[in-house]
Amino acid sequence: MRIGIVGYGTGGRHFHAPFIMAAEGVDLAGIVARAPATIERVQADYPGLPIYPSLTDMLAAGVDAVTITTPPQTRRELVLEAIAAGVHVIADKPFAPSAEVGREVEQAAKDKGVTLGVFHNRRFDTDVQTLKSVLDSGRLGNIWRIHARMEQDDPATLEAGPQGGLLRDLGSHMVDQILWLLGPARSVHAHLDMIDLPEGPTDAGFVISIRHRNGAFSQLVSSKINHIDAKDFVAYGDQGSYRSSQTDVQAQAIFSGQRPVDDLAGWGYEIEDRWGILATEAGEERVPSRQGRYHDYYECFAQAVRDGTPPPVTPADAIEVLRVLDAARKSAAEGQEVAL
């Protein structure tokens, strides 16, 4: 599958291109970039790779699929342009400003007969994959609740204004993770930490409590401007607990200049000192880290296109995430739990 990237900011450069290069059955066919400095970065990172001034030009040149990783407010129009051209699309998160717009885009893809996927790549995080293996093992018994925390000491990357904010950023990932682990939400209660910026009021942190349809409960906590770096999970079941405090393994490796294609076998593992702890009546034991593989997303997407099967994260999955985010914003504004 020949795939092009539209946008080469942090997302395109660090979380898409390296993992497309590492994925089997996928070729990076080009990048849309316009700013001179961005073009220079593409040329330095991938000498000889075609660079296009617009999505329209890339589509005219011919690709099988595109990843849209431009700022959120531009995403809807670009995704619809690619769909109209009959090209398969991966939309970065959040793939729409609301669940309603998400349904519109989903229907457009269905009408055109193209595969539309959403890049909730953090299902493929090391700690999430390890937690999923613990839940699937049944050793915790009936799952009562999961608490998750993803805090980053990274004020510079907080997207400002009402169309930005942390809820749409890390909130998209965390809600997708917990819905994947525990299933659909029944109700949502949320608190948002708001700050005033020149671009407008911006949510800079959040606490989201979710009651799931299966009876489980989850709580998600995140911040970016409070100078905390933490990535924690604690799961409680009627047979024990599991807790982990791992690092953002794949992101840290990427930002240090490593690439998965250079060591696919060794990529994405947490060091033993940070392995999670499973506690049951039998005692405590360290649970070996599962491999984190963001490139699996691209391999699964390519397979879905070839087979006509659902992509690794479907528009329906992403719409459920957007429904929770919409409910969280309403809950925070009204100070009450919102039923879904």
Side-chain angles (χ1 to χ4, degrees):
M1 185 176 74
R2 299 180 67 254
I3 188 164
I5 297 175
V6 184
Y8 201 65
T10 294
R13 188 181 193 190
H14 297 114
F15 292 100
H16 289 286
F19 297 100
I20 291 174
M21 298 296 290
E24 290 186 13
V26 181
D27 287 328
L28 181 57
I31 293 173
V32 172
R34 286 183 291 190
T38 306
I39 292 172
E40 287 181 9
R41 282 197 295 271
V42 175
Q43 291 172 333
D45 292 343
Y46 302 102
L49 185 72
I51 301 173
Y52 301 97
S54 69
L55 171 60
T56 303
D57 291 299
M58 175 180 279
L59 294 173
V63 289
D64 301 315
V66 292
T67 288
I68 308 296
T69 181
T70 57
Q73 63 270 23
T74 68
R75 230 165 264 160
R76 172 185 173 274
E77 288 72 19
L78 291 170
V79 169
L80 290 175
E81 180 182 352
I83 289 171
V87 170
H88 306 291
V89 184
I90 294 170
D92 220 332
K93 57 79 199 167
F95 89 118
S98 67
E100 181 181 3
V101 176
R103 293 187 191 98
E104 172 203 3
V105 176
E106 178 188 33
Q107 189 60 51
K110 288 180 178 177
D111 292 344
K112 197 65 178 180
V114 301
T115 300
L116 171 63
V118 182
F119 195 64
H120 286 302
N121 60 306
R122 285 191 175 273
R123 290 188 190 183
F124 299 91
D125 274 349
T126 309
D127 54 357
V128 177
Q129 289 288 319
T130 308
L131 172 56
K132 183 69 161 60
S133 73
V134 171
L135 299 180
D136 289 346
S137 74
R139 297 186 65 188
L140 294 183
N142 181 51
I143 304 303
W144 289 334
R145 53 191 166 99
I146 294 178
H147 296 258
R149 185 165 66 130
M150 185 187 296
E151 306 201 74
Q152 298 178 352
D153 182 10
D154 199 5
T157 65
L158 179 67
E159 295 180 342
Q163 300 304 312
L166 198 62
L167 184 66
R168 290 169 57 82
D169 179 13
L170 295 185
S172 296
H173 285 308
M174 295 186 75
V175 170
D176 178 71
Q177 288 175 339
I178 208 67
L179 297 185
W180 185 58
L181 293 169
L182 292 180
R186 178 165 57 85
S187 65
V188 177
H189 188 277
H191 166 81
L192 301 180
D193 300 320
M194 301 298 298
I195 58 174
D196 289 321
L197 296 175
E199 296 84 354
T202 304
D203 57 274
F206 60 78
V207 179
I208 305 173
S209 298
I210 302 173
R211 298 187 187 280
H212 297 262
R213 291 181 196 167
N214 63 1
F217 172 85
S218 63
Q219 189 170 71
L220 316 176
V221 177
S222 186
S223 72
K224 263 194 178 180
I225 69 168
N226 298 98
H227 308 295
I228 303 172
D229 258 317
K231 202 167 185 285
D232 303 325
F233 282 101
V234 185
Y236 298 84
D238 60 11
Q239 300 297 316
S241 65
Y242 172 80
R243 62 191 187 272
S244 73
S245 296
Q246 300 190 14
T247 54
D248 205 352
V249 177
Q250 296 185 82
Q252 289 179 350
I254 284 290
F255 286 120
S256 71
Q258 301 175 54
R259 294 295 179 265
V261 73
D262 296 330
D263 182 17
L264 284 173
W267 179 264
Y269 286 100
E270 183 58 273
I271 61 172
E272 187 171 348
D273 288 348
R274 287 187 170 273
W275 286 358
I277 298 173
L278 174 65
T280 65
E281 188 177 15
E284 291 190 348
E285 63 182 86
R286 290 277 186 178
V287 179
S289 163
R290 291 295 181 103
Q291 188 176 24
R293 293 169 54 95
Y294 291 156
H295 44 294
D296 273 357
Y297 180 96
Y298 274 101
E299 293 183 3
C300 293
F301 184 84
Q303 188 69 41
V305 169
R306 286 194 294 269
D307 296 346
T309 54
V313 181
T314 67
D317 293 337
I319 288 168
E320 286 303 303
V321 171
L322 291 170
R323 290 183 70 221
V324 171
L325 297 181
D326 292 346
R329 197 169 296 282
K330 181 178 180 181
S331 171
E334 298 178 353
Q336 61 184 6
E337 190 170 13
V338 175
L340 293 177

